[in-house]
Amino acid sequence: MNATPSNLAITPRNLKFNRSTSTGERRGHHTRWWHSNDPIRTAFLNALSVTFPQGESFFVEAVRRYRDAADPRLQEHIALFIKQETLHTREHVAFNRVIEQAGYDTEAMNAYTAHRMTVARARPPIAQLAITVALEHFTAILAHELLANPRQLDGAEPEVARLWKYHAIEEIEHKSVAFETYLAATKEWSGFKRWYVRCKVMAIMSFLFWRTNTRHMADFFRQDGINTPRTWMRVLKHHFVAPGLLYKIAGEYWKFYSPTFHPWHTDDRHLIAAGERMLAEPPIAA
Ligand SMILES: [Fe+2]
Ligand SMILES: [Fe+2]
């Protein structure tokens, strides 16, 4: 079932985004609603970003614990996965500072995320790995959609769009690492048990992932004074109609439940190449 391309390159890119320049000026011009001056599109991605530093640290711990069960190639991929996620955390910590500087208080969101992490860390190590497999599938299919459909980031401030595209490229590159670590860690299990546990955990995590995202969006909307039914109707439109992010990823999401699923059965390496070309463009000056 090992479908990871033999020539796959997982490349940690030590890039910095959204930092102040030497003159103290911030690169780019961050408005509060940095995505198309739209509070919904901004809140959706802000809500993801505030969970990333804690979430990605959890992924790293969960995968690292099973390094010894992996063959040498997978061990190498695990090391690169850890490097990539650690750099993502650094960049989202910097971006989350930009969110705060735009006037948002993220303390309650951080506390809620920390609470969810405490609950997850109380689970057995193999369950923590299965949680990581589920959430890495979400990040990989969201990343695919962000890179495949330019509309998703059209109208976003360029420096912030670059951060999301960089992150998306690397999520695609390492999308099978947690999954294959899970296969290595459960090689004594029956095929049915392996499938059943990852699917059960995915069903639970799907609920928890979207509940957390929705909670955080509500927090942003409250701070914007727009936590109203009208705003939530617009959220539904954003998720399911235009740009229809959830609707677009639904097909890839359901593939996870197949007994023969492997992340690389969808080969989207062409998006890595396209994303790389975009990152090679000169950064936006202040
Ligand atoms: Fe990441
Ligand atoms: Fe990841």
Side-chain angles (χ1 to χ4, degrees), residues 55-66 81 85 117 120 125-140 171 174-179 181-182 198 201-202 205 256:
E56 295 187 318
S57 307
F58 175 86
F59 298 168
V60 165
E61 280 170 38
V63 169
R64 183 158 35 203
R65 225 177 258 135
Y66 287 97
F81 165 86
E85 294 294 28
M117 294 299 144
I126 198 68
Q128 295 186 41
L129 183 58
I131 289 169
T132 304
V133 171
L135 293 177
E136 280 285 289
H137 183 56
F138 267 119
T139 54
E171 287 306 319
H174 72 225
K175 67 179 177 171
S176 67
V177 176
F179 184 82
T181 305
Y182 173 80
R198 75 169 167 83
V201 171
M202 177 52 121
M205 290 319 296
F256 187 87

Side-chain angles (χ1 to χ4, degrees), residues 5-11 13 77 80 84 173-174 269 272:
S6 58
N7 60 351
L8 176 73
I10 299 177
T11 312
R13 296 163 183 78
H77 283 180
L80 294 165
Q84 287 190 329
E173 284 178 342
H174 72 225
R269 279 175 293 168
I272 299 173

Side-chain angles (χ1 to χ4, degrees), residues 232-280:
W232 286 99
M233 286 305 290
R234 290 182 61 198
V235 172
L236 286 178
K237 190 175 164 231
H238 168 269
H239 283 0
F240 296 105
V241 185
L245 197 60
L246 264 57
Y247 164 73
K248 295 273 177 45
I249 65 173
E252 288 297 319
Y253 167 76
W254 288 110
K255 286 183 184 171
F256 187 87
Y257 293 92
S258 159
T260 59
F261 167 80
H262 185 285
W264 281 109
H265 286 164
T266 297
D267 188 348
D268 43 9
R269 279 175 293 168
H270 63 286
L271 295 176
I272 299 173
E276 292 250 73
R277 280 195 293 280
M278 183 279 308
L279 284 182

Side-chain angles (χ1 to χ4, degrees), residues 1 16-17 31 82 108 115 141 162 172 208 214 218 233 272 279:
M1 223 197 322
K16 291 188 177 175
F17 305 92
T31 55
I82 291 172
H115 160 69
I141 61 181
R162 274 168 59 80
I172 291 176
L208 294 177
T214 304
M233 286 305 290
I272 299 173
L279 284 182

Side-chain angles (χ1 to χ4, degrees), residues 99-221:
I99 295 173
E100 283 162 28
Q101 283 163 358
Y104 289 115
D105 179 354
T106 57
E107 208 176 305
M109 292 180 254
N110 291 335
Y112 181 74
T113 310
H115 160 69
R116 293 306 324 164
M117 294 299 144
T118 305
V119 172
R121 285 194 172 97
R123 308 290 303 156
I126 198 68
Q128 295 186 41
L129 183 58
I131 289 169
T132 304
V133 171
L135 293 177
E136 280 285 289
H137 183 56
F138 267 119
T139 54
I141 61 181
L142 282 167
H144 177 107
E145 176 58 21
L146 284 187
L147 292 176
N149 183 358
R151 268 185 78 194
Q152 298 292 357
L153 285 166
D154 262 4
E157 295 199 4
E159 179 76 356
V160 186
R162 274 168 59 80
L163 163 69
W164 286 97
K165 288 178 183 171
Y166 142 79
H167 195 166
I169 291 168
E170 298 199 349
E171 287 306 319
I172 291 176
E173 284 178 342
H174 72 225
K175 67 179 177 171
S176 67
V177 176
F179 184 82
E180 289 195 346
T181 305
Y182 173 80
L183 292 186
T186 59
K187 55 178 171 276
E188 307 297 328
W189 291 10
S190 67
F192 174 79
K193 188 177 175 188
R194 277 169 152 180
W195 169 81
Y196 176 76
V197 168
R198 75 169 167 83
C199 291
K200 183 177 149 190
V201 171
M202 177 52 121
I204 296 167
M205 290 319 296
S206 302
F207 169 73
L208 294 177
F209 179 80
W210 293 108
R211 186 177 68 173
T212 299
N213 189 263
T214 304
R215 258 184 97 106
H216 289 176
M217 284 182 86
D219 196 331
F220 282 113
F221 294 154

